[in-house]
Amino acid sequence: MPLDVVDLRAFYASPLGHVARRFIGRAMLRFWPDCSRQRVLGLGFSTPYLSVLGLGAERVLAFMPAAQGVVNWPSEGMSASALVEPTLLPLPTASVDRVVLVHALEETESPDDLLEEVGRVLSPGGRMIVVVPNRRGLWARMDGTPFGHGRPFSRSQLQALMRAAEFSPENWAEALYVPPLKRHLLMRSAPAWERAGAGLSLPFAGVHVIDATKQFYRRVPLRATRRSFAFRPILLPRPTPTQRAANPPGDGAAG
C-alpha cells in the first residue's frame, strides 16, 4: 500500500522523524554543500530536505506522486509543490540541475522507468541524490516508519539499477544506525549510534544515501562502407599454333 502524505508529514514532525531528517540531511549536505544558482527538483516526499538543500537555489520544485498525495510547500509564499505521475514528469528535457529522490524509488512499481525519467529532465552534468531503505537495516524491517514500507535495496542492487539507467554513483553514505524505536534514551544517544556505525562501517544502517551523476556517451554512428570489386581473370586462354596459323595478325575478311 502506498505511503500517505499525511502519515509522512506526521512522521517528520515526530522526534524520530527529526532524527531521520538530521542525519540524512547531514549526509546530503556533505555531497551538496552549495546549490546556489541551481534548479532543484524533489521527487517523492523530499520537502524536509529541500528546505536545507534549496537555500540559495535558483528554483526549487517539490513533486509528489499521485498515489501518495500532495501538501502545500513551502508554508510561506507561492506554492512550489505539485501532484504528478513520477514516470511522466511535466518538465521539458534537460530542465533541472539537481534531483532529490526520497520516499520515491522504493515506492514505485518500476524503478527503471523512474530513473529513466529523472535522467530525461536532468541537464548535462546533472546530479541526483537517492535515499532508499537498506535491505540489511533495521528500519526496513519495522513498519513503524516510512522507511519500513516499499521495496528496500542492497548496495549491489542499486549499483546495477543505476548503471542500467546510465547514472554513475560518485559518493555513497549510510545513515540511521540508531534503532527505529520511539524511546527517549535512544533519541538522545542517536549521535553516538551514528558515529559508531559510520566509524566501524557497520552493515545495518537504515538507509543508503547516494550521490550520482548522469552519464553521457558519445555514440558514433556506424557507416556502411561499399566496396567495389573488379573481377579480372587470373588465367587467360592462350591460342594454339594451329589457331595462330589460321588467324594471322592483321588478317581481315575479304571485301
Side-chain angles (χ1 to χ4, degrees):
M1 181 178 180
L3 291 171
D4 187 87
V5 70
V6 175
D7 297 330
L8 287 162
R9 185 168 55 178
F11 167 73
Y12 280 103
S14 69
L16 193 58
H18 283 292
V19 168
R21 180 185 179 188
R22 176 183 177 184
F23 293 111
I24 295 175
R26 182 180 297 178
M28 289 181 172
L29 285 173
R30 287 202 305 268
F31 300 155
W32 296 357
D34 184 14
C35 289
S36 299
R37 298 182 298 277
Q38 301 289 303
R39 295 161 295 178
V40 181
L41 168 66
L43 186 57
F45 191 80
S46 57
T47 53
Y49 308 98
L50 292 178
S51 301
V52 178
L53 292 175
L55 296 176
E58 175 186 322
R59 182 177 301 173
V60 183
L61 299 173
F63 285 177
M64 304 183 187
Q68 168 192 289
V70 65
V71 294
N72 183 52
W73 183 86
S75 57
E76 298 179 357
M78 298 181 64
S79 178
S81 61
L83 196 68
V84 301
E85 172 56 46
T87 57
L88 294 171
L89 298 177
L91 290 174
T93 299
S95 58
V96 296
D97 304 302
R98 307 283 178 95
V99 175
V100 182
L101 293 180
V102 187
H103 305 298
L105 195 66
E106 69 270 26
E107 291 293 327
T108 183
E109 295 181 359
S110 179
D112 296 321
D113 292 341
L114 176 59
L115 290 182
E116 182 179 351
E117 182 68 356
V118 170
R120 183 188 68 81
V121 301
L122 268 176
S123 61
R127 297 171 66 181
M128 169 183 69
I129 279 184
V130 183
V131 178
V132 291
N134 178 11
R135 180 176 292 276
R136 303 175 66 180
L138 292 176
W139 289 67
R141 302 172 186 272
M142 303 177 69
D143 58 4
T145 77
F147 297 104
H149 296 260
R151 174 188 175 185
F153 290 87
S154 66
R155 185 163 182 159
S156 60
Q157 288 173 330
L158 287 170
Q159 288 174 334
L161 190 62
M162 290 190 180
R163 185 166 54 249
E166 298 186 358
F167 279 95
S168 176
E170 301 291 340
N171 300 288
W172 201 292
E174 279 78 30
L176 303 185
Y177 289 94
V178 61
L181 301 175
K182 301 176 183 180
R183 297 180 181 176
H184 185 64
L185 180 61
L186 286 175
M187 299 299 99
R188 293 182 58 185
S189 62
W193 283 89
E194 294 298 311
R195 286 194 298 269
L200 299 174
S201 298
L202 298 178
F204 55 80
V207 296
H208 299 288
V209 185
I210 308 100
D211 171 29
T213 303
K214 180 181 176 181
Q215 295 179 346
F216 288 90
Y217 298 99
R218 184 179 180 183
R219 301 183 179 181
V220 179
L222 297 177
R223 295 182 178 179
T225 58
R226 294 183 178 181
R227 296 182 179 180
S228 58
F229 296 93
F231 293 98
R232 297 179 180 177
I234 299 177
L235 299 176
L236 296 176
R238 300 180 63 181
T240 64
T242 305
Q243 291 175 332
R244 286 199 300 267
N247 298 286
D251 184 22

